[in-house]
Amino acid sequence: MKIENIIDQLEHNKSCFRGLFEDKSEEMYLYRPQENKWCLLEIACHLLDEEKEDFRARIKYIFDHPDYDMPSINPPAWVTERNYISRDFQIVVSLFLEEREKSVAWLRDRVHANWEDQINHPKLGVMSAKLFLNNWLAHDYLHMRQILRLHYAFLKDQSGLNLDYAGNW
């Protein structure tokens, strides 16, 4: 995909996330189908932190500091370290959507940058800005799938009904 197309899709995904997160009851955004799975609140917190501290920050780092090793981050640990479960769901979603808007504007200003610029990732080796951008979009899709699975599981648990007629999940 072209850089412009990826940026366009990241912008469109903002509307998708808004639709997936809006009008949720506390029961829904705190629901988890299994104890070790994230609830919607934790997913929203993760997306907010990733938006600010991972993808946009790392691409910026590649453009600004290509000769230095990338600082490490630990998103799975943030769930407990940052006490995601205590956050306000509506505020987190709103902040995430605002950050996505900032990200898209920032990316549009760099559409003609050298997306082949690379950096040495401490665990994954040499990675380009373009690779990070593509993975950002893939990350969106992975979490959209996760959220849809959560919605399905919530419906199934709450209804207590057989949902096989809908199709094979």
Side-chain angles (χ1 to χ4, degrees), residues 154-166:
F154 183 77
L155 174 63
K156 187 171 181 143
D157 282 356
Q158 294 299 304
S159 71
L161 299 172
N162 181 321
L163 301 178
D164 291 347
Y165 181 76

Side-chain angles (χ1 to χ4, degrees), residues 19-30:
L20 290 169
F21 285 135
E22 70 184 358
D23 299 325
K24 299 297 178 255
S25 66
E26 182 176 6
E27 181 181 24
M28 173 61 194
Y29 67 72
L30 293 178

